[in-house]
Amino acid sequence: MLQYKSKNYKEDRMEYNTINTIIETPEQVSELLISLTGIDIYKQTRKNEYVEHRALLCYILRNKLDMRWHSIARFVKSKGKSYDHATAIYANKMYPIYKQSNFDYYDKLESQFIVKSQIEYSQISKLEVTQKKYETLQKDYFKAIEELSKYKGGYTKNEKQYRTLKEEQRTMYDERAALVLKSFEWKQNNSEYEVINCAT
């Protein structure tokens, strides 16, 4: 593995986070990383210094902000870099290897990211799924309301009276209604005759 000298990463010109700013969002992580290194991590290139710093970004987002892989990929994509969750997983896995090749540099750089997440980023995907389910249910609800509005007849006299019954009375009613419905089914089956051809 190629080992870079400190100046390749602009270490001598880094403005370290001496005030110990608490970082709370992926946006802040991204901005601090770019400002410390001077490297545009979202540039469409596979040069080692860019790949390694993107890996550091993934490592911090995953291990300090507890973001899910898909959320990390979406964040990087939102910055104009093509990225997917598999790339984020691979970058996170490779970061310790990159760090070994230039340990002092990455250790010092990594220490600048003091993270306190106010949002549970691990919950973002679950929230998105829940939101989609909500939107689907909302559509179904409005569709049902529309269908009901077409039904102008309203409830029958029996249906209205059923709603005033006590639980025990409803149970008895349901049992008797089930027998009546079964009888309709029996009558329908008996009215259908099967034609049998016999050889004479």
Side-chain angles (χ1 to χ4, degrees), residues 139-159:
K139 284 178 188 173
D140 291 345
Y141 169 76
F142 286 121
K143 193 174 178 182
I145 292 294
E146 190 179 328
E147 288 298 316
L148 284 172
S149 67
K150 291 177 186 174
Y151 182 64
K152 296 177 182 175
Y155 293 123
T156 65
K157 183 180 175 185
N158 286 346
E159 288 170 329

Side-chain angles (χ1 to χ4, degrees), residues 38-155:
I39 292 174
D40 178 7
I41 52 177
Y42 304 111
K43 188 175 179 181
Q44 294 285 5
T45 177
R46 293 288 303 159
K47 287 183 180 175
N48 286 347
E49 63 182 40
Y50 292 89
V51 170
E52 291 180 14
H53 284 83
R54 276 196 294 269
L56 172 58
L57 174 72
C58 288
Y59 177 83
I60 292 167
L61 296 180
R62 177 66 179 181
N63 297 291
K64 293 194 176 188
L65 279 183
D66 197 28
M67 286 177 68
R68 298 177 74 87
W69 299 120
H70 285 285
S71 300
I72 293 170
R74 273 195 298 273
F75 176 72
V76 175
K77 278 171 106 171
S78 75
K79 300 294 183 181
K81 173 78 178 93
S82 57
Y83 222 68
D84 60 29
H85 76 285
T87 310
I89 293 168
Y90 181 75
N92 183 68
K93 183 180 175 183
M94 291 302 293
Y95 173 69
I97 297 167
Y98 301 146
K99 185 176 178 178
Q100 282 176 1
S101 68
N102 205 345
F103 185 83
D104 290 341
Y105 169 77
Y106 280 118
D107 191 51
K108 196 171 182 182
L109 182 57
E110 194 182 319
S111 71
Q112 300 305 299
F113 294 88
I114 301 160
V115 176
K116 180 184 176 187
S117 177
Q118 289 183 329
I119 302 169
E120 286 292 330
Y121 285 96
S122 62
Q123 301 300 316
I124 286 178
S125 295
K126 291 178 185 175
L127 287 170
E128 288 171 351
V129 169
T130 304
Q131 186 177 0
K132 283 178 185 172
K133 284 182 181 176
Y134 168 76
E135 288 167 1
T136 303
L137 286 171
Q138 194 176 38
K139 284 178 188 173
D140 291 345
Y141 169 76
F142 286 121
K143 193 174 178 182
I145 292 294
E146 190 179 328
E147 288 298 316
L148 284 172
S149 67
K150 291 177 186 174
Y151 182 64
K152 296 177 182 175
Y155 293 123

